[in-house]
Amino acid sequence: MTRHKRSHVRTFCTDGALAALLSCALAGCALIHENGTPYAQIEPEQIRLADDIHLAREGWPSARWWTSFGDPQLDALIERALADAPTIVIARTRVAQAKSDVELVKAGSNLQVIALGTLDREHVSANGFLGPFARNEPALGLDGPWYTEGIVGLGASLDIDIWGKQRAQVAASLGVHNARLAEASAVELEISTDVAQLYYGIQTTYQLIDLLEQSQQVAAFAMETHTARAARGLESRTRVEEARAQQMAVQRQIVAAQGQLKQFRESLRALVGAGPSGLHDIEPVPLPRSRASLPATLSYELLARRPDLQAMRWYVESSFDRIDAAKAAFYPSFDIKAFFGFDALHLADLFTHASQQINLIPGLTLPIFDGGRLNANLGGARTASNTLIEQYNQAVLNAVRDVASTGSRLQDLDAETQLQAQKVLAVAFARDSTEAHYQRGLASRLSALEARQPLIAEQVALVSLDGQRLSQEIALAKALGGGYRADSPVELKPR
C-alpha cells in the first residue's frame, strides 16, 4: 500500500472514529421527556378598537407629551419627579443590575485565565505514592520526609459552546435587560401622568374655589339683606334661615375643596420626592384646552408604543432562550483546561528548566442518568414561558380595553361639556336680563345678585367637567404609551 493510500486510510479511520465517538456520545445523552407545547400568542385581529370610538382629533402623543400643555410649572414638576422620585431610582437600579447580570453571563462563556502561586509544606507518607521520598537518601537527592513544594504558573479554561447553551443564556439575560429598560420607561410614564393628574387636579380645584367664593359673597349679601328686612318686619324669619342655610352649604363646599387641595398637594409632594417644605407654591393658571387623540388604527402599533407591553414581550422572548439553554443541557459539553508554569519539591529548583510543567486537558461531560433533573428543568422553563405568554396575551387585551374605555369616556365628556357650555350661556342670558332690569331700576340689587347663583352653579359644573376631561386626556396619553416607541416590536417565535 502506498504512503498516500495509507495516509488516506489513516485520515478516514480518524474521522470515522471521531464520528463514531460523537454518535455514541449523543446516543448516551439523557432523553428529553418534558419539552411540552408552547402556548400561542394573541392574534393581531384582537388588537383593535371598536369602530364606534372616534374623537374629533387625530394623531399620537409625543414622547414628552406633557409639554403640549405649554405650562412651565408642570414641566418643572415632571422633570423633578423623573429625576428624584424613589420609584424611578429603583427602576434604574434594576436596569443596572440586569446589565451586570448580562456581563456576568457573558464572562462565563469567555476564556478564563488565572495566575497560580501556591506554597505547600508537606510530610510525605512512606506508604503512599511518593513513598521513596519519605527516606533521607542524599545520594539520590532525597532529603525527606519533609518537603516544601512550590507551584507558579498560569491556568486557563474554555468552555466550547457547541450546542448554543451559553449563547442562549446570554440571550436570555439580554432579554431581561431589555425588559428592565422598558419597565423603567413604564415607570417614567406612570410618574409623569400621575404628576400631571395631580397638578391639574390642583388647578381645577383653584378654579372651583374661586367660583365658590363668588357664590359665598352673594350668599353673605343675601343673608345681610334678609336679616335687615326681617328686623324691620318686612319679611319672615324663614327667609333669613333659608339664606343662612345657603351660606353654610357654600362654605361647606369651600372647606371640602380646600381639603381636597391639601390632599392633592401632599400626594404631589410625595410623588416628586420633596420634603415637607420642598415643594414650591403652585400658581393658578387657566385649564388648557383638550388635545386628546386616538390613533387611526391600533394593531401592533400599540405594542411599540406601550412600554409595559414591550417589557412583557421581552420577558417572553427571554423565556424562549431559557428553553433553548435547558434543551442544550441534554447534550455533551466540551471544555479545555491548560496550565503552564513551574512545579518543584524544592524551592531552589522551582524556576529551573527541568521544573517546567505543561498541562492540556480536553474534557467531555456526558449526562446519562441525572434523576430527572434535566427534564424537570426543561419542564419548568416551558411552564414559566407559557405562563408569561398568557400574561402577555392578557396584558394586550387589558391595554386595548384601557384605550377603548378611556377614549369612550373622553368622547362622552366632550359631548357633556358642549351641552354644559350651552347651558351656561342660557343661564348667563337670564342673569344678564336680571342685571339689566336692576340697572333700569326695575329690580332690586338682591335680585340681581341672586340671579348670579344659578350661573355660578352651572360654571362650577362646567369646570368640573373640564377637569374630568383633562384627567381622561392624561389617562388616554398613558394608555397609548405616552409617546414611548421601541425600535420595533419584539417578534415572538415560540420554540
Side-chain angles (χ1 to χ4, degrees):
M1 183 180 291
T2 64
R3 180 178 302 176
H4 174 73
K5 289 183 178 180
R6 286 197 300 270
S7 175
H8 177 74
V9 171
R10 187 182 302 114
T11 303
F12 176 79
C13 292
T14 303
D15 293 344
L18 181 61
L21 178 62
L22 184 59
S23 299
C24 292
L26 292 177
C29 292
L31 299 178
I32 297 177
H33 300 294
E34 302 293 338
N35 188 16
T37 303
Y39 289 0
Q41 64 173 322
I42 192 168
E43 294 295 333
E45 291 77 12
Q46 295 180 259
I47 310 175
R48 58 185 298 273
L49 285 177
D51 296 333
D52 58 347
I53 300 178
H54 298 287
L55 296 180
R57 299 154 296 278
E58 294 293 338
W60 287 98
S62 61
R64 293 170 56 84
W65 56 271
W66 60 87
T67 58
S68 63
F69 295 122
D71 192 330
Q73 286 188 118
L74 176 62
D75 296 346
L77 285 170
I78 291 180
E79 292 296 334
R80 179 178 180 181
L82 293 180
D84 302 332
T87 49
I88 281 289
V89 176
I90 294 173
R92 290 171 181 166
T93 302
R94 285 168 56 84
V95 171
Q97 179 184 3
K99 184 177 180 181
S100 299
D101 293 341
V102 172
E103 297 301 325
L104 181 62
V105 175
K106 282 184 177 180
S109 60
N110 295 332
L111 176 66
Q112 309 292 312
V113 179
I114 60 174
L116 299 176
T118 63
L119 188 65
D120 181 16
R121 180 65 175 172
E122 59 183 293
H123 180 279
V124 176
S125 170
N127 297 319
F129 182 72
L130 298 178
F133 289 87
R135 297 190 299 271
N136 189 1
E137 299 181 11
L140 298 177
L142 304 178
D143 54 359
W146 285 94
Y147 295 91
T148 302
E149 181 183 13
I151 300 176
V152 176
L154 296 176
S157 63
L158 176 64
D159 290 333
I160 303 175
D161 190 21
I162 295 180
W163 315 112
K165 176 182 176 181
Q166 294 166 345
R167 292 192 297 272
Q169 290 174 339
V170 171
S173 299
L174 286 171
V176 172
H177 177 252
N178 290 333
R180 295 283 175 83
L181 287 172
E183 286 178 340
S185 296
V187 172
E188 291 177 353
L189 176 60
E190 182 83 22
I191 289 178
S192 62
T193 53
D194 287 349
V195 169
Q197 292 276 16
L198 291 170
Y199 175 78
Y200 282 116
I202 290 174
Q203 294 296 348
T204 301
T205 307
Y206 277 156
Q207 293 197 16
L208 291 176
I209 290 176
D210 182 65
L211 290 171
L212 291 172
E213 287 177 346
Q214 296 179 31
S215 180
Q216 185 182 37
Q217 293 174 2
V218 173
F221 180 81
M223 176 70 182
E224 293 174 0
T225 302
H226 288 301
T227 300
R229 288 183 178 182
R232 298 173 186 171
L234 299 177
E235 287 183 356
S236 66
R237 189 68 183 176
T238 301
R239 297 296 301 275
V240 175
E241 296 304 322
E242 289 175 349
R244 187 190 305 278
Q246 178 67 24
Q247 188 179 27
M248 293 299 103
V250 175
Q251 288 179 351
R252 183 188 63 79
Q253 290 178 288
I254 292 176
V255 170
Q258 290 173 341
Q260 186 68 55
L261 194 62
K262 292 179 182 178
Q263 293 180 19
F264 283 147
R265 182 177 176 81
E266 285 303 304
S267 297
L268 185 60
R269 183 180 66 80
L271 190 59
V272 301
S277 58
L279 188 64
H280 299 297
D281 291 336
I282 297 175
E283 298 297 327
V285 297
L287 294 180
R289 297 182 60 184
S290 178
R291 298 178 176 85
S293 58
L294 276 177
T297 59
L298 267 181
S299 66
Y300 275 98
E301 292 184 13
L302 182 65
L303 306 182
R305 300 206 66 90
R306 286 193 50 136
D308 57 337
L309 294 185
Q310 278 293 328
M312 286 296 303
R313 289 176 70 87
W314 275 117
Y315 278 127
V316 173
E317 182 68 19
S318 176
S319 73
F320 295 158
D321 292 318
R322 295 188 189 281
I323 291 174
D324 290 342
K327 289 180 180 179
F330 283 83
Y331 302 112
S333 60
F334 300 89
D335 64 359
I336 299 176
K337 292 181 174 61
F339 173 80
F340 173 79
F342 300 89
D343 184 3
L345 286 176
H346 300 285
L347 292 182
D349 302 328
L350 181 60
F351 292 103
T352 63
H353 180 75
S355 297
Q356 287 185 1
Q357 179 175 326
I358 300 176
N359 299 80
L360 185 63
I361 311 171
L364 167 66
T365 302
L366 180 64
I368 299 177
F369 300 109
D370 65 342
R373 179 181 59 84
L374 293 178
N375 273 289
N377 181 50
L378 177 58
R382 176 65 72 187
T383 301
S385 177
N386 286 338
T387 301
L388 287 170
I389 291 174
E390 287 305 308
Q391 290 175 347
Y392 165 74
N393 289 342
Q394 187 61 54
V396 171
L397 295 176
N398 291 343
V400 176
R401 180 202 62 196
D402 291 345
V403 175
S405 61
T406 306
S408 178
R409 177 58 181 153
L410 189 55
Q411 182 174 284
D412 295 339
L413 285 171
D414 279 342
E416 290 182 46
T417 301
Q418 292 175 7
L419 293 173
Q420 184 62 28
Q422 295 175 10
K423 187 176 181 181
V424 167
L425 292 176
V427 176
F429 180 84
R431 188 270 321 262
D432 294 341
S433 177
T434 304
E435 287 189 351
H437 280 74
Y438 166 67
Q439 295 294 334
R440 296 172 184 170
L442 301 178
S444 64
R445 183 186 177 189
L446 177 61
S447 298
L449 288 176
E450 287 182 335
R452 297 181 182 178
Q453 290 287 43
L455 176 60
I456 293 174
E458 298 304 332
Q459 288 174 333
V460 166
L462 182 59
V463 169
S464 297
L465 284 173
D466 284 338
Q468 293 178 44
R469 186 169 61 170
L470 191 55
S471 177
Q472 287 298 116
E473 180 179 341
I474 296 170
L476 181 60
K478 178 181 178 181
L480 292 175
Y484 171 90
R485 180 178 289 280
D487 293 337
S488 61
V490 183
E491 184 179 1
L492 298 181
K493 293 182 178 179
R495 299 189 283 275

